[in-house]
Amino acid sequence: MPRKNHARVVLALLFSLMGFTYASAQEKAKTLFTGTFHGKVHPTSGRATVYQETDGRQMLRLTNFKTSNGPDVHVVLIAAKDADDDANFLKNSTERIELGGLKGNEGDQNYDIPKGTDLHRFQTVSIYCVRFNANFGAAPLEKF
């Protein structure tokens, strides 16, 4: 087997094993909340799901996620049932919890939720562009 093909086989095997390990870990996690994205300033789609890991940590997972590219885009939890552009949640002092910069404008991605976050209070995931003070899209979370 040529060396180049051997390396591809080894990489494929590693990725396969990594996927199996991740899937096994996710099967053990408990689904707490979930919601579907709807676009606000930009078309945004996909699902947001909050999982509780076996060690108690909570994680937000975006799946089949897609939104527009933008500068300084973040994932935030907000203390509201939904995020409406007409009542911009950042101008009216609605509380929020920063989960981090958006890892990509397409695809599945994970964000750690800070310990002690009250998800009955912080009920919506927002994809927020800091530079333009714009809510690209939101996913209201419902108990699973």
Side-chain angles (χ1 to χ4, degrees):
M1 178 181 276
R3 185 178 198 123
K4 195 173 193 178
N5 285 339
H6 181 69
R8 286 184 184 159
V9 170
V10 170
L11 283 174
L13 181 60
L14 282 173
F15 288 135
S16 174
L17 289 173
M18 288 170 54
F20 177 77
T21 301
Y22 178 76
S24 296
Q26 193 162 6
E27 287 172 10
K28 295 176 186 173
K30 179 181 177 186
T31 304
L32 300 178
F33 296 89
T34 191
T36 303
F37 279 100
H38 56 88
K40 287 304 201 180
V41 174
H42 294 279
T44 302
S45 60
R47 178 163 293 279
T49 306
V50 175
Y51 294 98
Q52 183 168 358
E53 303 292 336
T54 55
D55 63 4
R57 291 180 300 122
Q58 292 180 338
M59 175 194 66
L60 172 69
R61 179 159 177 80
L62 308 184
T63 52
N64 299 315
F65 179 75
K66 187 172 184 176
T67 193
S68 300
N69 273 322
D72 206 14
V73 180
H74 293 250
V75 179
V76 296
L77 292 172
I78 61 168
K81 290 186 186 237
D82 202 348
D84 237 352
D85 251 5
D86 299 329
N88 190 316
F89 60 89
L90 293 174
K91 288 185 181 174
N92 71 13
S93 302
T94 300
E95 289 181 82
R96 68 177 186 250
I97 295 176
E98 170 78 33
L99 299 184
L102 187 66
K103 295 175 182 176
N105 69 311
E106 289 187 31
D108 298 352
Q109 44 202 287
N110 298 329
Y111 298 87
D112 290 328
I113 297 174
K115 187 176 183 176
T117 299
D118 181 357
L119 293 170
H120 293 284
R121 185 169 172 208
F122 292 91
Q123 302 175 6
T124 298
V125 178
S126 171
I127 307 302
Y128 173 70
C129 177
V130 175
R131 183 172 176 189
F132 295 109
N133 193 33
N135 177 26
F136 278 28
L141 298 172
E142 295 180 358
K143 192 166 183 153
F144 186 77

